[in-house]
Amino acid sequence: MSILHLFDILGTIAFAISGALAAMNKRLDIFGVLILAFVTAVGGGTLRDVMIGYTPVAWMRNFTTVLTVFGAYVVILFAKPYVHHFKKTLFFFDSFGLGAFTVTGIAQGLAFGLHPALCVALGTMTGAFGGVLRDMLINEIPHVFRKEIYATACILGGTLFFLLQYFEVSRHLTEIASAVTVVLVRVISIRYKLYLPMIYEREA
Amino acid sequence: MSILHLFDILGTIAFAISGALAAMNKRLDIFGVLILAFVTAVGGGTLRDVMIGYTPVAWMRNFTTVLTVFGAYVVILFAKPYVHHFKKTLFFFDSFGLGAFTVTGIAQGLAFGLHPALCVALGTMTGAFGGVLRDMLINEIPHVFRKEIYATACILGGTLFFLLQYFEVSRHLTEIASAVTVVLVRVISIRYKLYLPMIYEREA
Amino acid sequence: MSILHLFDILGTIAFAISGALAAMNKRLDIFGVLILAFVTAVGGGTLRDVMIGYTPVAWMRNFTTVLTVFGAYVVILFAKPYVHHFKKTLFFFDSFGLGAFTVTGIAQGLAFGLHPALCVALGTMTGAFGGVLRDMLINEIPHVFRKEIYATACILGGTLFFLLQYFEVSRHLTEIASAVTVVLVRVISIRYKLYLPMIYEREA
């Protein structure tokens, strides 16, 4: 199993748990928690596949994902009271997932012969838009549009991908470096509390 | 016309009316009411078709659906003041629709050669996610994630579908039994006020 | 360049700016502003293409759109304090876009051999649903369901399209007349403060 595959699974777990916790905080029932876990974990890839026309979408082609999300869901149903002990672990899993998902999205775009800029957009969508759908379902303005460096990490990692490809670095190494960059940007930005700026609204 | 086809039409009517009423309660204009009626009636099937790649999506292939929704819309525009007299009827129509839609979704999944678990997911999506989209459009947390046995009925009916197929019951009988199970689970759960549990959020 | 092509570009600019301004008003960061600009400009066409199965969706096939949105985004980041001077210009651009997008949606439906009523629905979707997605993302009930003649303009322009085609008016003239009708209906309705009626909710 390649390192990216491992990142992908750890990320799926972290994304599913993030969706499940958000659902619990909104006092959804256990079906709502299940759906939120799924949507957060597979939503980004689903949006990507639907827009490029690669159907049935990813989670229908890959039963490992479905089982991973379901496993994470069952665990979190019982482990919720202890989840604060694992906050740091989950943050790292989430970052690994962000890296792996970004690279998957880019690879999919390349397989469809799309322009590098569109591939980076697809990578960012794969990494960050599961969380966007999660927040839409629980009736909140998406977190990724407001706080923290998140999508920016995908964009930077994605840009590095095409830089390395331009310099003819091997595809395998490119993918690893790109995913690791996403992880590093994310971790560093949290460590040093880096944010994207806002354009403030003045009173009219 | 098979019984399932009848269920499908009654359900389309009930779903459209549920969307239209939700829109009126939020004081949308008559275009908003029309869109909410449509989205609630065809949203689940549209999501399903988009994800498996069966396009143009169902409501574009089946003009009966479009006319049924539009008819229900026109009627409810004028009949709104009397709708409380038909609450029980609408509840039964809605349940019939839930059963028929679930079976349609499962059949679609089978036609695309998907795993039984994915077929049940598609059936549940077809039955329950029109309401999810309705609630997202009127800026509410989806009702189906919070209250009542609704999606659970789809899941139980869908599971029975594959049990019966496993025991080589005829496809026609399987579909009827599966849809009727959805209806019964829904009706019984409302009658006896059965709910799915929540995992309560404790104060941090 | 045909007049419709010009309308399309001006509309893309106006839609992108409308999304960006909505994002700024909700105090999103600059990534959120970018995404809202994109979603508002390309969301309607994306929904249309996904539902009819014309993938990769429009903005992935047409780099001009991507560059136009990005350009509008960069400009508005800096020009926000002066945007109130251009309110009227933006309103006209928005109306031109509504007309052009409607005609594009209808043309796409025709190319897929769909019924005229479905083509008008696709035209309306292309014109009006970018704004619906924008409002969903910033957690508001879609504006187009509540205020002003907007989608109605698309429906009227779209109906004229098929009337003219029925009388064998040339395709080119039909498209221009249809788009201009959308623009006129929109402008006149704003000028004379015309609204769609609501069906009032009485207290139960």
Side-chain angles (χ1 to χ4, degrees), chain A residues 44-67:
Chain A
T46 300
L47 269 184
R48 175 201 65 215
D49 284 351
V50 159
M51 286 195 199
I52 59 177
Y54 187 19
T55 54
V57 298
W59 60 273
M60 299 184 185
R61 300 186 307 258
N62 183 353
F63 221 67
T64 310
T65 306
V66 174
L67 292 178

Side-chain angles (χ1 to χ4, degrees), chain A residues 23-196:
Chain A
M24 290 172 182
N25 285 337
K26 290 279 180 172
R27 304 180 61 88
L28 303 193
D29 66 28
I30 57 173
F31 174 73
V33 174
L34 175 63
I35 296 302
L36 265 286
F38 257 99
V39 167
T40 311
V42 309
T46 300
L47 269 184
R48 175 201 65 215
D49 284 351
V50 159
M51 286 195 199
I52 59 177
Y54 187 19
T55 54
V57 298
W59 60 273
M60 299 184 185
R61 300 186 307 258
N62 183 353
F63 221 67
T64 310
T65 306
V66 174
L67 292 178
T68 307
V69 174
F70 199 78
Y73 163 69
V74 171
V75 169
I76 197 68
L77 278 189
F78 295 98
K80 169 139 200 346
Y82 316 105
V83 80
H84 59 277
H85 296 305
F86 300 99
K87 250 180 110 170
K88 232 174 199 167
T89 311
L90 283 174
F91 167 72
F92 280 106
F93 282 19
D94 189 283
S95 304
F96 295 155
L98 197 65
F101 283 29
T102 303
V103 169
T104 309
I106 291 171
Q108 209 74 278
L110 281 174
F112 274 71
L114 297 176
H115 186 281
L118 296 178
C119 292
V120 173
L122 287 176
T124 308
M125 199 186 283
T126 309
F129 274 61
V132 170
L133 292 174
R134 173 198 64 209
D135 294 343
M136 288 177 80
L137 281 171
I138 57 171
N139 206 12
E140 306 232 330
I141 293 183
H143 202 260
V144 61
F145 296 162
R146 285 180 302 159
K147 286 176 197 151
E148 300 175 10
I149 300 290
Y150 199 87
T152 313
C154 305
I155 295 172
L156 292 176
T159 307
L160 182 74
F161 187 103
F162 287 99
L163 250 161
L164 294 179
Q165 285 298 85
Y166 181 78
F167 288 112
E168 297 184 0
V169 175
S170 85
R171 175 69 179 265
H172 185 65
L173 195 62
T174 298
E175 295 194 345
I176 306 275
S178 175
V180 169
T181 303
V182 174
V183 176
L184 286 180
V185 171
R186 175 101 176 100
V187 169
I188 290 169
S189 73
I190 290 291
R191 176 71 187 75
Y192 293 99
K193 295 192 167 54
L194 304 175
Y195 294 88
L196 280 188

